[in-house]
């Protein structure tokens, strides 16, 4: 049965009073054990370097947009990962200034143990927005100082080297991509040039314009042919109503009438054509001939002779209409020949348009590749120049920099629990040890120690309690025991204080 909490303090005190010597010995043992732990506890010394992250220097706003300054996110974890790298750990583990002249000869298991020791003692902690510390903890103050100093130096140098390497690698990569795209662009340009030289059909817009022009000319030619055919049919119909031959007497009036008809025709032609027109020249010659004939007939006296039935002349109107019919038929044949030529050209243009459509996809692909590669190439050129400036910034130590704000200091006092803390804790823990042990025993002791335990266990009320009664002899004996234990406790405390004082004064 568990002891009620209300009865626990009184029972603890009673148990301690009943076992005074056990409590005394437990007090002495625990106190001196804690004090002995203070003597043998390995004290740690810590030294640290404070690093300042300089990311607000004047070069940053000046080069905004023209260069990319190297940035590091999560600086504390990044610094720890860099310092935990095996290469840096090996450099420190084989440093002669820290571990002696033979440090660089250590290999194998001994080297791994030393690297493990270095990693376990190293710590990186943030200290505000722009600062963090790199520290090392060791049992030797000199070793802690030297290792912390070396860690800070290696971090600064390694970070600078990594920045230069990173920016140079970025520049080399972009430069390599630029050269690759130069060759790709040259290849695409060569393909496009070869395609255009092999396919001279032109573009789709030119072909459509050419086809529309040909069809328009074909429509005009067909309309002109239709008009000419109708004119020819009209002239042939008119020609059927005209006599091809006329009976003509040789009188002055007849010659005069014919001359006037020719002159009327000449005047009509002159309204439309120049004098060099062949029909005008022919009419002039006919008029001149008729005048000559009239003059000769007048001289010979033939004008007064009667008309003979056999004298007939070609009807000029019939002759004119026949000539016009022939001319119109020739124009029809010319238009038909032109229509055939236009139809041939349209058929050839249709084939050309089919070839253009077939080549359109290939041409689009070539031009698209050309445009995309040009865009990427121009973008890479800009990035390469930015990378070049960034590389020079890192080479000259500009941009984001780490600077040692506080150098490592030689540790004068150990970190962690001091000897004074062990000395103070020894008496306190020794005094509390008997009471703690009594409380633990009471929790596991099955004996009934309180009235409430019995009532809860059997479910019946307890009618009366018989208190413990001691005789005068037992009281005197208990009093002498208490005095003896108290004197021994005072002696133990005095001895404890003497040991502590001697240790603090450096006697022991």
């Amino acid at each position: 049965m568990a002891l009620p909490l209300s009865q626990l303090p009184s029972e603890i005190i009673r148990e301690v009073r009943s076992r005074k010597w056990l409590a005394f010995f437990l007090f002495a043992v625990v106190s001196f054990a804690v004090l002995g732990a203070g003597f043998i506890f390995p004290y740690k010394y810590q030294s640290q370097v404070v690093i300042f992250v300089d990311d607000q220097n004047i070069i940053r706003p000046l080069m905004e947009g023209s260069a990319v300054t190297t940035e590091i996110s999560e600086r504390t974890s990044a610094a720890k990962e860099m310092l935990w790298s095996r290469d840096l750990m090996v450099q420190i583990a084989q440093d002669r200034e820290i571990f002696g002249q033979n440090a660089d000869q250590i290999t194998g298991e001994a080297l791994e143990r030393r690297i493990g020791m270095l990693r376990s003692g190293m710590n990186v902690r943030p200290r505000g927005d722009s600062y963090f510390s790199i520290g090392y903890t060791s049992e030797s103050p000199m070793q802690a100082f030297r290792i912390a100093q070396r860690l800070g130096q290696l971090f600064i140098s390694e970070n600078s080297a990594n920045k230069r390497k990173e920016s140079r690698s970025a520049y080399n990569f972009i430069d390599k991509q630029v050269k690759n795209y130069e060759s790709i662009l040259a290849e695409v340009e060569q393909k496009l040039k070869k395609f255009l030289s092999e396919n001279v059909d032109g573009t789709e817009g030119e072909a459509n314009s050419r086809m529309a022009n040909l069809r328009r000319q074909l429509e005009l030619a067909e309309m002109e042919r239709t008009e000419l055919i109708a004119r020819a049919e009209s002239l042939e119909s008119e020609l059927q109503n005209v006599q091809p031959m006329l009976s003509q007497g040789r009188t002055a009036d007849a010659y005069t009438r014919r001359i006037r008809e020719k002159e009327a025709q000449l005047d009509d032609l002159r309204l439309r054509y120049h004098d060099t027109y062949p029909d005008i020249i022919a009419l002039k010659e006919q008029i001149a001939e008729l005048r000559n004939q009239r003059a000769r007939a007048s001289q010979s006296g033939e004008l007064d002779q009667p008309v003979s039935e056999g004298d007939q002349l070609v009807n000029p109107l019939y002759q004119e209409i026949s000539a016009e019919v022939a001319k119109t038929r020739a124009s029809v044949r010319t238009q038909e020949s032109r229509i055939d030529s236009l139809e041939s050209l349209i058929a050839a243009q249709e084939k050309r348009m089919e070839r253009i459509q077939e080549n359109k996809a290939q041409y689009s692909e070539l031009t698209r590749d050309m445009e995309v590669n040009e865009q990427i190439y121009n973008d890479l050129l800009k990035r390469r120049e930015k990378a070049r400036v960034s590389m020079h910034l890192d080479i000259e130590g500009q941009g984001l920099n780490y600077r040692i704000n506080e150098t490592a200091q030689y540790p004068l006092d150990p970190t962690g629990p001091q000897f004074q803390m062990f000395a103070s804790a020894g008496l306190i823990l020794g005094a509390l040890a008997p009471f703690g042990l009594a409380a633990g025993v009471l929790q596991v002791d099955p004996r009934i120690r309180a009235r409430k335990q019995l009532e809860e266990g059997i479910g019946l009320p307890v009618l009366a309690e018989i208190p413990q009664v001691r005789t005068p002899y037992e009281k005197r004996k208990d009093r002498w025991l208490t005095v003896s234990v108290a004197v021994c406790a005072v002696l133990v405390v005095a001895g404890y204080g003497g040991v502590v004082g001697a240790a603090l004064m450096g006697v022991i």
Side-chain angles (χ1 to χ4, degrees):
M1 302 177 191
L3 184 67
L5 293 178
S6 60
Q7 299 291 330
L8 185 61
S10 59
E11 289 298 322
I12 291 174
I13 294 173
R14 190 173 68 175
E15 286 292 328
V16 172
R17 291 180 62 183
S18 64
R19 295 176 174 80
K20 294 184 178 65
W21 284 112
L22 178 61
F24 166 73
F25 285 117
L26 186 61
F27 163 73
V29 169
V30 172
S31 298
F32 279 97
V34 174
L35 184 63
F39 278 105
I40 64 175
F41 181 78
Y43 295 105
K44 301 289 185 180
Y45 294 87
Q46 184 178 19
S47 181
Q48 62 184 8
V49 178
V50 178
I51 304 295
F52 172 64
V53 183
D54 184 12
D55 58 352
Q56 299 296 330
N57 54 15
I58 192 172
I59 200 69
R60 189 180 184 92
L62 289 177
M63 301 306 295
E64 191 74 28
S66 299
V68 180
T69 54
T70 309
E71 297 183 356
I72 298 178
S73 59
E74 300 181 0
R75 297 165 183 144
T76 303
S77 59
K80 188 172 183 179
E81 290 177 3
M82 179 184 294
L83 293 172
W84 267 57
S85 63
R86 183 173 178 80
D87 293 339
L88 266 68
M89 289 290 102
V90 170
Q91 292 183 42
I92 298 175
Q94 295 181 345
D95 195 321
R96 292 184 178 183
E97 295 182 0
I98 300 175
F99 297 103
Q101 295 297 324
N102 297 326
D104 56 347
Q105 299 178 2
I106 185 173
T107 56
E109 186 177 352
L111 177 62
E112 297 300 327
R113 285 198 301 270
R114 185 170 292 178
I115 290 175
M117 177 195 71
L118 291 171
R119 287 176 174 171
S120 62
M122 183 183 67
N123 59 82
V124 181
R125 297 186 179 92
R127 299 184 62 177
D129 295 335
S130 301
Y131 296 88
F132 64 92
S133 63
I134 301 174
Y136 187 77
T137 305
S138 175
E139 296 180 9
S140 169
M142 180 58 69
Q143 189 178 77
F145 166 69
R146 288 178 175 174
I147 292 177
Q149 187 179 39
R150 184 62 173 154
L151 284 172
Q153 294 172 352
L154 283 177
F155 174 76
I156 296 295
S157 61
E158 189 71 15
N159 178 71
S160 300
N162 286 345
K163 283 175 57 181
R164 290 192 294 270
K165 181 179 179 182
E166 178 184 354
S167 58
R168 183 173 294 276
S169 298
Y171 172 78
N172 291 334
F173 173 78
I174 297 176
D175 183 63
K176 183 178 179 182
Q177 294 301 314
V178 168
K179 293 178 179 178
N180 289 338
Y181 271 92
E182 283 179 353
S183 60
I184 292 173
L185 272 177
E187 183 179 353
V188 174
E189 288 176 354
Q190 188 64 27
K191 288 182 179 179
L192 185 59
K193 182 178 179 180
K194 182 179 179 182
F195 175 81
L196 293 176
S197 62
E198 292 178 352
N199 300 273
V200 293
D201 295 323
T203 62
E204 185 178 5
E206 294 175 353
N208 290 332
S209 177
R210 173 65 174 167
M211 176 63 76
N213 188 26
L214 289 174
R215 287 176 176 172
R216 185 168 57 254
Q217 293 181 18
L218 179 61
E219 290 175 358
L220 292 174
E222 289 177 346
M223 290 175 62
E224 290 182 5
R225 183 185 64 176
T226 303
E227 292 176 357
L228 290 172
I229 291 174
R231 178 177 175 79
E233 291 176 353
S234 176
L235 290 173
E236 288 177 351
S237 176
E238 184 179 353
L239 185 62
Q240 292 177 359
N241 298 324
V242 177
Q243 295 294 327
M245 301 299 292
L246 292 176
S247 297
Q248 183 66 35
R250 296 179 180 178
T251 63
D253 293 337
Y255 281 109
T256 301
R257 182 172 56 81
R258 292 177 61 186
I259 290 172
R260 287 177 180 175
E261 289 178 356
K262 296 295 182 181
E263 288 177 349
Q265 294 179 10
L266 179 61
D267 293 337
D268 184 61
L269 289 176
R270 280 179 173 176
L271 293 175
R272 292 179 293 173
Y273 305 103
H274 294 286
D275 290 345
T276 57
Y277 190 68
D279 292 345
I280 294 177
I281 296 173
L283 284 174
K284 286 181 178 180
E285 292 178 353
Q286 292 176 8
I287 292 171
E289 182 64 26
L290 287 173
R291 286 176 178 174
N292 292 333
Q293 290 179 4
R294 187 180 62 178
R296 287 195 300 269
S298 178
Q299 292 176 0
S300 60
E302 295 178 357
L303 294 177
D304 297 332
Q305 295 178 3
V307 180
S308 62
E309 296 181 359
D311 292 335
Q312 291 184 345
L313 297 175
V314 177
N315 191 345
L317 181 59
Y318 183 86
Q319 186 179 12
E320 182 179 354
I321 295 175
S322 298
E324 192 66 25
V325 169
K327 182 179 178 181
T328 304
R329 289 296 181 184
S331 298
V332 169
R333 288 192 295 271
T334 301
Q335 291 299 326
E336 289 178 349
S337 176
R338 183 183 177 190
I339 290 173
D340 292 339
S341 300
L342 289 173
E343 289 178 348
S344 300
L345 290 175
I346 290 174
Q349 187 65 19
E350 289 177 349
K351 294 181 180 179
R352 176 188 174 190
M353 293 182 67
E354 291 178 359
R355 292 194 301 271
I356 290 175
Q357 291 297 328
E358 292 176 357
N359 296 330
K360 184 178 178 181
Q362 186 177 357
Y363 179 77
S364 299
E365 182 179 357
L366 289 174
T367 53
R368 183 173 59 252
D369 291 345
M370 186 78 176
E371 292 173 357
V372 171
N373 289 322
E374 280 183 351
Q375 291 177 358
I376 297 176
Y377 176 73
N378 293 330
D379 183 63
L380 285 174
L381 283 179
K382 296 178 183 178
R383 293 179 183 272
R384 184 178 67 175
E385 294 309 312
K386 288 185 179 181
R388 188 198 305 275
V389 178
S390 302
M391 180 177 64
H392 288 295
L393 284 177
D394 288 334
I395 291 174
E396 298 190 9
Q398 302 297 334
L400 176 65
N401 289 317
Y402 289 102
R403 188 172 68 246
I404 295 179
N405 189 63
E406 293 182 11
T407 59
Q409 302 296 323
Y410 184 85
L412 300 177
D413 297 320
T415 60
Q418 305 288 321
F419 178 76
Q420 296 88 335
M421 186 181 295
F422 281 97
S424 303
L427 290 176
I428 297 173
L429 293 177
L432 294 177
F435 297 96
L437 180 63
V441 171
L442 290 175
Q443 293 299 322
V444 298
D445 190 3
R447 291 179 294 175
I448 297 175
R449 295 175 177 272
R451 176 180 179 175
K452 190 175 181 180
Q453 283 181 287
L454 185 60
E455 289 177 347
E456 291 178 355
I458 62 178
L460 296 174
V462 177
L463 300 178
E465 289 184 72
I466 301 175
Q468 183 180 5
V469 179
R470 295 187 298 173
T471 63
Y473 172 75
E474 290 176 341
K475 292 181 180 180
R476 289 194 303 272
K477 183 179 178 181
D478 183 66
R479 189 165 44 251
W480 280 106
L481 180 61
T482 302
V483 171
S484 301
V485 171
V487 171
C488 292
V490 170
L491 293 176
V492 168
V493 172
Y496 188 92
V499 174
V500 172
L504 291 177
M505 290 185 295
V507 177
I508 57 175

